[in-house]
Amino acid sequence: MATVEHCLCCFEALVAYHERRKPMSLSEIEKSWAEYINTIEDDDDIEAPVSSKAPQIPALRRLAAATFPSSSTSSSTSLATSSSTSTSTSTSTSNTTLQSGISTPATSIASSASPAPTPVYESPLFVTWNVVQDSDDDDVSLRGCIGTFEAQPLSSGLPSYALTSALQDTRFHPISRAELPTLQVAVTLLTDFEPAADAMDWELGKHGLRISFVYRGRRYGATYLPDVAPEQGWTKEETVVSLMRKAGWEGNKSRWREVELRVVRYQGKKEKLGFEEYIAWKDWVDGMRGE
């Protein structure tokens, strides 16, 4: 699954691009993030059990919630990687427009819980940039989203697609340096690709969809990430029709079932991070380096 470190890597790539400097590598980010979390914990009440703490940084709150989902239970998830061909994404939060084309060491927050997920070193992935509205990280508007169905080494794929989605999504102007404080990044690692028996053979909130079809001699294709349909409040039929429209199909929507669709379903876990969280970590890193 995607991690906070993956999101930090994307922000670091974009900020470094605008500052004309070399970005930190993913391995450096992973190491520093673990140290950063330990420092934050040391600054809290050391007598309080980890499970009772409420980290103020949203990414830490999500990490704590994932590690301690209830007072007595915990769970961990490991996802296998898979691949297919390449793409890009959009809707009001994160859908996709077709384009050719690590897990981290256990931190002290998770040290007393279940075993850490199996490390992921390469995966198909999507990077989504959103503009946050009114300091609410759930109220966002899409600013760029591009990814690939080809498995990528995360150490190079994350920074590469972070820049591609920020600067080369043709639906938007390139993201400027002045916009950075308004941004949120989301990373989705894609897994479990499998052919669907038909256009309805998938679950809302669990599966993303990739469709391809031929209509009047022309080929069409598009994809939606797993979170798109729930965020839009669509039914399964509305999702499929919208995806066909997104691919460029202009037929009568009441006759969409007459189109022979090839449908691949897949899964993916998203992690997101706001600019303020990135800056808090980066200021700590710079301070430790004496910069």
Side-chain angles (χ1 to χ4, degrees), residues 160-230:
S160 175
Y161 278 91
L163 293 180
T164 300
S165 59
L167 306 173
Q168 298 179 28
D169 189 328
T170 56
R171 297 164 295 175
F172 306 95
H173 295 297
I175 292 176
S176 67
R177 184 171 182 171
E179 293 178 84
L180 293 175
T182 69
L183 295 179
Q184 174 199 85
V185 69
V187 174
T188 307
L189 303 186
L190 312 183
T191 69
D192 302 300
F193 290 84
E194 53 189 353
D198 54 55
M200 295 289 106
D201 182 27
W202 57 283
E203 295 181 33
L204 282 166
K206 177 179 180 181
H207 293 113
L209 291 182
R210 186 183 184 197
I211 65 168
S212 58
F213 58 97
V214 176
Y215 184 72
R216 294 180 178 175
R218 179 182 171 187
R219 294 182 179 277
Y220 297 83
T223 188
Y224 277 153
L225 297 177
D227 57 318
V228 172

Side-chain angles (χ1 to χ4, degrees), residues 13-200:
L14 182 57
V15 173
Y17 167 83
H18 283 298
E19 293 180 349
R20 301 181 183 276
R21 61 172 174 82
K22 181 180 178 180
M24 292 175 63
S25 68
L26 179 58
S27 61
E28 291 173 326
I29 289 170
E30 290 173 335
K31 182 176 184 294
S32 68
W33 176 252
E35 295 171 351
Y36 176 62
I37 289 179
N38 288 336
T39 299
I40 289 177
E41 289 177 358
D42 290 342
D43 288 342
D44 287 337
D45 182 2
I46 199 157
E47 297 301 322
V50 174
S51 59
S52 69
K53 295 177 183 178
Q56 296 305 304
I57 296 177
L60 297 183
R61 291 201 300 269
R62 292 193 296 273
L63 181 57
T67 306
F68 302 99
S70 69
S71 60
S72 60
T73 63
S74 64
S75 64
S76 65
T77 305
S78 63
L79 300 176
T81 59
S82 180
S83 67
S84 216
T85 60
S86 121
T87 319
S88 101
T89 85
S90 92
T91 81
S92 59
T93 50
S94 67
N95 58 351
T96 62
T97 86
L98 214 58
Q99 181 194 63
S100 50
I102 330 194
S103 192
T104 65
T107 67
S108 56
I109 280 185
S111 61
S112 62
S114 52
T118 302
V120 178
Y121 299 106
E122 65 175 40
S123 175
L125 61 92
F126 276 83
V127 177
T128 304
W129 293 102
N130 294 314
V131 175
V132 178
Q133 311 292 335
D134 301 324
S135 302
D136 181 354
D137 64 358
D138 289 324
D139 183 9
V140 299
S141 57
L142 184 67
R143 189 60 180 82
C145 188
I146 294 179
T148 177
F149 289 112
E150 296 284 351
Q152 303 288 310
L154 298 184
S155 58
S156 58
L158 286 169
S160 175
Y161 278 91
L163 293 180
T164 300
S165 59
L167 306 173
Q168 298 179 28
D169 189 328
T170 56
R171 297 164 295 175
F172 306 95
H173 295 297
I175 292 176
S176 67
R177 184 171 182 171
E179 293 178 84
L180 293 175
T182 69
L183 295 179
Q184 174 199 85
V185 69
V187 174
T188 307
L189 303 186
L190 312 183
T191 69
D192 302 300
F193 290 84
E194 53 189 353
D198 54 55
M200 295 289 106

